[in-house]
Amino acid sequence: GGVATMEHTTVENRVYGIAAGHKVNVTWVYLSESSTFYEGLPEETKKVMDYDDGTSGPFALFPHYDTDRLALQPSETNLLSGLTSWVVRNNPAQFERFAGL
């Protein structure tokens, strides 16, 4: 996955009481397929993943699930959580800076 920290400037939003002109840092995380993450998975997980074409199986389209779905299956959530954790652990400088470490 990709990680980038960028500085943004707020615009006024009266509904949420946000004033214009504040500088804020946002760390963006984009989850994508990773062969390194995949290779680190347990063999039983690899067996049920349709990693090659991503069109069928219980993890079809992983990690790009439809955003209009209100709920994911527990197995989808667990795999997505694992990928997110892996991305954070593999980009420590981005998150340490964000946390002020």
Side-chain angles (χ1 to χ4, degrees):
V3 180
T5 300
M6 303 169 67
E7 183 179 88
H8 298 279
T9 303
T10 61
V11 295
E12 182 180 25
N13 184 315
R14 292 180 185 159
V15 173
Y16 293 105
I18 298 171
H22 291 283
K23 303 284 187 201
V24 295
N25 289 316
V26 177
T27 298
W28 299 98
V29 178
Y30 179 79
L31 299 179
S32 60
E33 292 179 8
S34 167
S35 58
T36 306
F37 171 75
Y38 176 79
E39 289 303 321
L41 293 172
E43 289 302 318
E44 56 272 16
T45 303
K46 290 181 198 176
K47 287 179 185 175
V48 297
M49 288 186 73
D50 186 17
Y51 193 76
D52 292 333
D53 70 10
T55 60
S56 62
F59 299 110
L61 305 177
F62 174 81
H64 301 128
Y65 296 123
D66 293 334
T67 56
D68 62 348
R69 288 177 52 190
L70 296 179
L72 296 173
Q73 294 298 314
S75 58
E76 293 171 313
T77 302
N78 289 340
L79 192 58
L80 199 54
S81 172
L83 177 59
T84 303
S85 174
W86 180 84
V87 168
V88 170
R89 287 191 320 271
N90 282 278
N91 294 278
Q94 293 286 341
F95 295 96
E96 288 169 355
R97 184 172 51 234
F98 173 74
L101 301 175

